[in-house]
Amino acid sequence: KNEVEQSPQNLTAQEGEFITINCSYSVGISALHWLQQHPGGGIVSLFMLSSGKKKHGRLIATINIQEKHSSLHITASHPRDSAVYICAVRGSAGGTSYGKLTFGQGTILTVHP
Amino acid sequence: GAGVSQSPRYKVAKRGQDVALRCDPISGHVSLFWYQQALGQGPEFLTYFQNEAQLDKSGLPSDRFFAERPEGSVSTLKIQRTQQEDSAVYLCASSLALTSGPPNQPQHFGDGTRLSIL
């Protein structure tokens, strides 16, 4: 079982729909990242959070530390939101984690006009 | 300002050739990570540098993989005697974070080098 699991793996939506991508993890973490990757490989960091909720524009990220679960929501989705969304966790501070990230397999989002 | 720069963006090599991939991190960033991303998968950790010291190389898949960061800035990932299974996108990320302390420093990613081994 992977340490970081995302669902769904593929998601198709119509423009304007509300979208949710889920991430569950099985290890202790100091932070969780939501990343966006467009074709061509470039990765953009959307959120880094260790508790609660963060909002940026139409994007909302939440995390429940006790349940080891995070969600990324996109309100009023748009075709330009089409990308791969990746959840990644940073190991607990100290030890030998060095802050390296462990990634989920990604969710491919396609938003149709 | 300049972000993390990786070169080349694309590299095609024949099986058995050696390749070198370069990463220019954001100036002043102490931490540098290399990740490997196979097609359709999430990235996987390869190695970590704090300044010039390679503190973790547990993710390197074989002794054909070698990374260095001799002056604590630019890093090079070298793959010797390439194999087809080495085909992937190689991502570099840097951050201000040190090995411990509050997790308040995000990692900044380059666009990656897409390596294809024929």
Side-chain angles (χ1 to χ4, degrees):
Chain A
K1 188 180 188 305
N2 292 334
E3 292 181 340
V4 181
E5 294 277 356
Q6 283 185 237
S7 63
Q9 290 191 348
N10 288 278
L11 182 56
T12 301
Q14 289 298 124
E15 183 173 357
E17 287 185 354
F18 180 84
I19 288 163
T20 296
I21 300 171
N22 296 298
C23 175
S24 297
Y25 54 92
S26 57
V27 295
I29 70 168
S30 57
L32 182 144
H33 298 250
W34 280 102
L35 309 166
Q36 182 191 55
Q37 186 172 34
H38 282 282
I43 288 180
V44 175
S45 179
L46 299 175
F47 295 102
M48 183 179 67
L49 64 165
S50 54
S51 65
K53 175 180 174 179
K54 287 189 175 181
K55 184 176 189 293
H56 184 251
R58 294 181 294 107
L59 302 179
I60 303 167
T62 63
I63 188 169
N64 185 317
I65 296 295
Q66 287 73 28
E67 295 185 2
K68 295 186 176 180
H69 180 269
S70 175
S71 293
L72 175 68
H73 305 286
I74 305 176
T75 61
S77 59
H78 190 275
R80 64 175 175 265
D81 297 327
S82 298
V84 178
Y85 292 83
I86 303 173
C87 169
V89 300
R90 172 178 166 160
S92 298
T96 59
S97 69
Y98 303 117
K100 69 184 182 185
L101 297 178
T102 301
F103 297 81
Q105 76 273 31
T107 295
I108 302 172
L109 172 64
T110 305
V111 181
H112 293 295
Chain B
V4 178
S5 177
Q6 291 188 244
S7 61
R9 286 282 285 124
Y10 303 93
K11 176 69 178 178
V12 179
K14 292 183 179 178
R15 188 175 54 156
Q17 289 183 329
D18 298 348
V19 298
L21 313 179
R22 177 187 169 104
C23 173
D24 277 275
I26 293 173
S27 178
H29 277 194
V30 169
S31 294
L32 186 146
F33 300 82
W34 283 100
Y35 298 97
Q36 180 191 56
Q37 185 177 22
L39 186 65
Q41 302 295 318
E44 293 190 354
F45 171 78
L46 291 177
T47 187
Y48 165 71
F49 289 87
Q50 181 185 350
N51 294 309
E52 70 280 359
Q54 188 177 19
L55 298 186
D56 188 348
K57 53 182 181 180
S58 62
L60 296 177
S62 77
D63 59 6
R64 297 185 295 103
F65 286 71
F66 172 78
E68 60 183 3
R69 194 186 185 196
E71 297 180 358
S73 55
V74 172
S75 178
T76 303
L77 176 66
K78 297 178 179 178
I79 309 173
Q80 298 176 323
R81 303 181 305 280
T82 52
Q83 302 294 317
Q84 284 191 323
E85 62 263 28
D86 300 334
S87 296
V89 174
Y90 290 85
L91 294 162
C92 176
S94 71
S95 78
L96 286 168
L98 301 179
T99 56
S100 61
N104 59 356
Q105 300 297 338
Q107 292 186 21
H108 300 263
F109 287 83
D111 287 339
T113 293
R114 183 176 297 274
L115 175 64
S116 297
I117 304 300
L118 305 178

